[in-house]
């Protein structure tokens, strides 16, 4: 008996920092440059261990409230010159995005990062997506996920899990960022994969109805 055809992939959203791209070297360089320019003490080594939330959250550790917006704008001016070149794709990132599109779905990036910088990263690394939406964090990411009818959202942070669930999308998590696999499961991730190398196989199994889609599965 012939096997049933696999349905096309849905729209899948991906986070950027520490999900698709290891931006730690670039962000470290940008914060180091900002510290040198302003004379402020910024522990760039510490800053890159807690990527995920909006830039303003990190700047609040190093600048008084009345300087944060100005420092945010200056950081973004610096970013393109210091952060794009050193950043690299995480293992399986290109293949994960390509798998969605090869299986008939749309791949979008929904990130807290400034949208033009996210686009620069993806262009330089040759990761082709169907849309990039920036400056959204945690539950706020649901706005873009709903607008693009994304049924799956892939991220590395518990904020990404919250965003997926707010949008009523399946939360697929990878512990490649600041959150451990246990933390992602405890936050309610529906699927936890070791890294994005496992994503194409999981997606094919999910579409065929064979891959685990229950909470906490790996």
């Amino acid at each position: 008996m012939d096997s049933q055809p696999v349905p096309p992939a849905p729209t899948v959203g991906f986070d950027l920092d520490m999900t698709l791209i290891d931006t730690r070297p670039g962000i470290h360089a940008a914060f180091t440059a900002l510290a040198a320019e302003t004379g402020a003490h910024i522990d760039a080594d510490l800053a890159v261990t807690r990527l995920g939330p909006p830039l303003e959250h990190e700047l609040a550790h190093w600048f008084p409230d009345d300087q944060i917006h100005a420092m945010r704008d200056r950081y973004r001016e610096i970013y393109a010159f210091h952060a794009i070149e050193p950043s690299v794709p995480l293992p399986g990132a290109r293949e994960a995005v390509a798998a969605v599109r090869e299986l008939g779905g749309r791949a979008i990036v929904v990130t807290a990062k400034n949208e033009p910088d996210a686009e620069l990263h993806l262009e330089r690394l040759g990761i082709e997506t169907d849309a990039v939406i920036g400056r959204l964090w945690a539950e706020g990411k649901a706005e873009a996920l709903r607008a693009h009818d994304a049924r799956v959202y892939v991220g590395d942070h518990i904020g990404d899990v919250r965003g997926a669930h707010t949008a009523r999308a399946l939360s697929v998590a990878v512990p490649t960022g600041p959150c451990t696999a246990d933390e992602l499961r405890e936050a309610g991730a529906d699927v936890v994969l070791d890294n994005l190398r496992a994503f194409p196989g999981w997606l094919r199994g999910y579409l065929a109805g064979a891959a685990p889609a229950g909470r906490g599965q790996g």
Side-chain angles (χ1 to χ4, degrees):
M1 185 174 180
D2 293 338
S3 60
Q4 294 296 315
V6 176
T11 295
V12 175
F14 291 90
D15 176 52
L16 187 74
D17 293 82
M18 303 311 300
T19 298
L20 290 176
I21 299 175
D22 186 350
T23 48
R24 289 174 298 183
I27 290 173
H28 191 287
F31 273 125
T32 300
L34 184 64
E37 179 179 300
T38 61
H41 169 67
I42 300 175
D43 187 340
D45 291 334
L46 178 58
V48 299
T49 68
R50 49 194 184 199
L51 301 183
L55 172 61
E56 291 87 346
H57 289 211
E58 185 60 41
L59 291 172
H61 292 287
W62 314 113
F63 295 96
D65 290 347
D66 62 355
Q67 294 182 25
I68 289 175
H69 286 176
M71 292 301 101
R72 175 200 63 194
D73 294 344
R74 182 58 186 145
Y75 175 91
R76 286 175 175 158
E77 292 171 351
I78 287 171
Y79 192 94
F81 296 98
H82 292 273
I84 304 301
E85 187 66 27
S87 300
V88 296
L90 283 161
R94 290 190 179 97
E95 295 81 359
V97 172
V100 175
R101 303 178 88 201
E102 288 166 2
L103 291 168
R106 297 177 70 248
I108 66 172
V109 167
V110 182
T111 175
K113 188 177 293 298
N114 193 35
E115 196 169 301
D117 292 329
E119 291 172 341
L120 282 174
H121 277 298
L122 294 166
E123 181 180 354
R124 177 186 172 273
L125 297 174
I127 300 175
E128 297 185 14
T129 63
D130 296 285
V132 178
I133 306 95
R135 300 196 191 184
L136 294 175
W137 161 242
E139 289 85 353
K141 292 187 174 187
E143 173 188 338
L145 296 173
R146 289 195 194 105
H148 288 267
D149 195 26
R151 305 299 175 85
V152 177
Y153 185 59
V154 186
D156 67 281
H157 199 283
I158 60 174
D160 298 324
V161 177
R162 300 202 309 266
H165 287 170
T166 302
R168 297 187 177 180
L170 192 75
S171 170
V172 176
V174 286
T176 48
C179 301
T180 67
D182 286 343
E183 287 171 335
L184 293 165
R185 290 188 182 97
E186 289 169 7
D190 298 295
V191 177
V192 179
L193 304 174
D194 288 341
N195 55 54
L196 286 182
R197 286 189 177 123
F199 182 80
W202 173 83
L203 181 61
R204 291 184 180 93
Y206 172 68
L207 294 175
R215 181 160 298 173
Q217 299 297 313

